[in-house]
Each structure stands twice: as structure tokens, then as C-alpha cells.
Amino acid sequence: MNRQCPYALDPSGSDIHGEAAMLHQRGTATPVVLPGGVTGWVISGSETIRRLLVDPRVSKDAYRHWPAWANGEVGEEWPLAIWVSVQNMITAYGSEHTRLRKPVVATFTARRVARMLPRIAEVTDELLDRMAALPQGEAVDLRTAFAHDLPTRIVFELFGIPQQSWEPLHRIIKGFFDTTITAEDAQANAELLYVTMTELLAHRREHPGDDMTTALINTRDEGDGSRLSEKELIDNLILLFTAGYETSVNLICSAVYELLRNPDQLELLRSGKASWEDAVEEALRLEPPATYALMRFAVEDIEMEDGVVIPRGAPIVVSFASAGRDPEVHGPDADRFDLTRTTRGEHLSFGFGTHYCLGASLARLECGVGLQRLFERFPDLSLAVRPAELRKVESFISNGFKELPVLLGAAR
């Protein structure tokens, strides 16, 4: 196999883990072709990824460190342009990253997340009550009825998003993660996103509340504007609530699926031999909600340990899927769901280093509470279809099921 021959990533993500394993076998850095014909490098393996995520020679700023973007060779017509065109803390580099992250850290505090526990439990119980009222014996799509509504309601309430904006944002964010989308549809989706976000900011400026959007608006408006520009404010909000629920939806579905597929592991939870936190961490490891991270760029030539050189200005894509199932970290049975695995928490599903996900604690809390109450309420919960019949979302970034049909059984 020619390691230097670029491999075309499957935009549909039809076999994410098979693809990730194959690329990992080719080396720690493998040339690839992304949708739209953009070439780059996939980085595989837990230790290599950890090292590069804190390497100052790796940037997330396309405007400064991706020549093809800066000179217009790749532009807004690229189907994945929204992933690099936004200017927020996740795409910033060095001191700019610190400037953009600081006001978000100041508003998205551990205390704010901890205060949300009663509301998470309340929303969870409301959704379970609604499910319990459904006719018994009929299959229920758990993604729609539970896994989607729990984190979306929490994150939209956290950011004070008015209810009339919920459905439009659902559609927009679904397009955001669809890596099979056409260039025309991607541009239209991005334009609609900015219109919707501008309307949200106008609404919150007129009707301030105790929410993250108001807090970030105040950070910008009460200063001289140097801390956050209007675009940076919008782009930070786009990052926070798009990442804040799509990944949590995927995480809840994956955890439920693995527990139903592995009844011996579910019994460990029911007998108290494993905790719901263990289930969350093992699901994060085995099925990272985001399998690839777009994009980083080589600030200078980077020579890898096997002699391969990533050239200056080249895009870098991080394979979190390969890190979670790296046999050098998790052993030869890394593909198996095991709540007693000692390395279950040694995953990179929330990133690593300065770009570590600020919402990690909230996602863990939502999933842990949701899983425990779901299985307590519906102890006979089971899959309504064979595992082979389940379909994944069409994305090589978002890792989740399109639907998760289940039979609830009698409610307790």
C-alpha cells in the first residue's frame, strides 16, 4: 500500500471505525482527500494526537495558517467552509485563542453547570412521562423522543433561545454536520445560520435574561468592543450551542445502544458493580460523538516520528475515532464495550489541551442522569430492530444513529 497516495475520506461516514483503523495502519500521519477535493493529513493514534494537540506548530486559524484559504484558492464555495470560516475560540491560535476563550470561560462556569442538575432531572422526567404515555408494544425512536430533546432543551434554555427559533436551528445544525451536503446547500445553510443568530442577538438585547447569550452580549457591549467583535460573538455562540447538543445526542444514543447490545454490562450497572459515570466514559471512548476534528494547520514543516513530514500550511484532521480504539492504549479488545476497562477515561472525545471542550461536564451530566433514569423507568427496554438494520447519520464528523428504534416495555 502506498502511504503517500491520498485516501479519499468517505463523506457519508458509512464505516467510520473501519476507515479509522485502516488509516491508523497506514501511519500516524496519512494524506487524505476531503469532500470538495481539499487535500490534507489525518492524524491517528492516541499519543500522536495528544502531542500534536499541544504543539505550538499546529494552528486552528485558517486565515493565518492555511494559505489556500487566505489566498482564496479555497473559499466559501467549499462545502465544509463553515468549519474554518467562523472566527471563535475553537478556530483561534495563540493569544487570540486566549482572548476569545476568556469571556466564555467567565460565563460558562462550573457553578452554572452544577445549578442545572435539577433542571436536567426535571426535563428527563418530563420526556420519560411522555414516552410512558405512548401505546405499549409500538416501536419508539429513542433519538427523537429522548436523546435529541434532552440536550437540545437544556442547551437552548441555557442560551436563552426563544422557542420559535428551536426548529429552524435544528434544521440548520443538521445541515452543519451533514458532510454529504452540496456546496450550494452548504452556503444557503450558513447564510440562514447567520440570519438566525443575528435575530437571536437582537431578541436577547431587547429581552435580556439570566442566560449565556445575555452574559456574552454584556461582555461585548459593556466594553469597548475589543474583547469580542460582533462576528466573534456570533461565531462563539454558533460553536457553543451547535457542539453543545449534537454531540450529546450522539453520546446518549451510543450509550443506550451499547448497553442494550451488551446485557452483561447493563447488569453491572444494576448490581452496583459499575457506575453510570463508567457507562458514559466507556461510550465516549468506544463511540466518540465527533469522530474527526476539522481543521488544524501546520505552522511550519512537522516531521513525524516515522519520518513523514507534514508540510507547512497543510490542513490537519484529527481522528478521535482512532484514539478511542487505539490498541496500544486500550488493549487488543479495544473494540469491545467494557465498563470495567481501566482505560475507559483515557479517551480524547472532548479534545485535549487548550481546546478542551468547555461543555464536557454538562455533556457528562446530561448523559449520566438521562441514562440512569431511562433504564430505571423502563427496565425492559430493548432494541426494536436488529443492530445491522440501524443507520448512521451521513457524516464523517458526527458519529450517531439516524434513528434508534426501541421497545419500551412496561414503565416503572
Side-chain angles (χ1 to χ4, degrees), residues 60-181:
K60 295 202 74 177
D61 191 334
Y63 295 88
R64 293 171 62 187
H65 298 120
W66 188 17
W69 180 262
N71 65 25
E73 181 183 338
V74 178
E76 298 290 346
E77 74 286 349
W78 184 42
L80 302 181
I82 190 68
W83 291 92
V84 297
S85 64
V86 288
Q87 293 176 287
N88 54 35
M89 61 183 181
I90 203 68
T91 59
Y93 175 73
S95 60
E96 278 296 283
H97 172 259
T98 303
R99 178 180 69 84
L100 293 172
R101 187 180 174 99
K102 187 174 181 180
V104 179
V105 172
T107 55
F108 195 38
T109 61
R111 175 181 292 183
R112 185 185 287 270
V113 172
R115 288 205 316 260
M116 299 184 70
L117 176 58
R119 182 56 182 157
I120 293 171
E122 184 179 22
V123 171
T124 299
D125 289 341
E126 288 176 11
L127 296 174
L128 296 177
D129 287 344
R130 188 174 70 184
M131 290 163 58
L134 297 172
Q136 284 199 28
E138 293 185 7
V140 176
D141 177 13
L142 197 74
R143 179 182 173 96
T144 301
F146 183 71
H148 179 272
D149 280 6
L150 172 56
T152 56
R153 282 180 59 178
I154 294 301
V155 79
F156 284 173
E157 290 178 9
L158 175 65
F159 285 95
I161 297 173
Q163 197 157 358
Q164 64 266 25
S165 297
W166 290 11
E167 188 55 39
L169 283 170
H170 288 158
R171 293 196 303 270
I172 292 167
I173 295 169
K174 183 179 180 180
F176 195 83
F177 284 94
D178 182 357
T179 50
T180 66
I181 196 169

Side-chain angles (χ1 to χ4, degrees), residues 83 143 147-148 151-152 155 173 177 239-255 280 283-284 287-292 320 349-350 357 359-360 362-364 366-367 397-401:
W83 291 92
R143 179 182 173 96
H148 179 272
T152 56
V155 79
I173 295 169
F177 284 94
L239 161 70
L240 290 166
F241 71 72
T242 53
Y245 88 71
E246 173 73 13
T247 50
S248 295
V249 175
N250 292 342
L251 173 58
I252 293 170
C253 282
S254 293
V280 173
L284 282 164
E287 294 289 352
T291 47
Y292 288 103
F320 290 138
S349 295
F350 290 122
C357 177
L362 177 59
R364 286 183 165 110
E366 290 170 341
C367 188
I397 298 172
S398 180
N399 178 29
F401 295 105

Side-chain angles (χ1 to χ4, degrees), residues 348-360:
L348 299 173
S349 295
F350 290 122
F352 185 70
T354 58
H355 288 286
Y356 185 81
C357 177
L358 283 175

Side-chain angles (χ1 to χ4, degrees), residues 248-267:
S248 295
V249 175
N250 292 342
L251 173 58
I252 293 170
C253 282
S254 293
V256 171
Y257 169 74
E258 291 298 337
L259 289 170
L260 294 180
R261 202 166 64 103
N262 296 278
D264 59 320
Q265 300 300 303
L266 182 56
E267 183 55 34

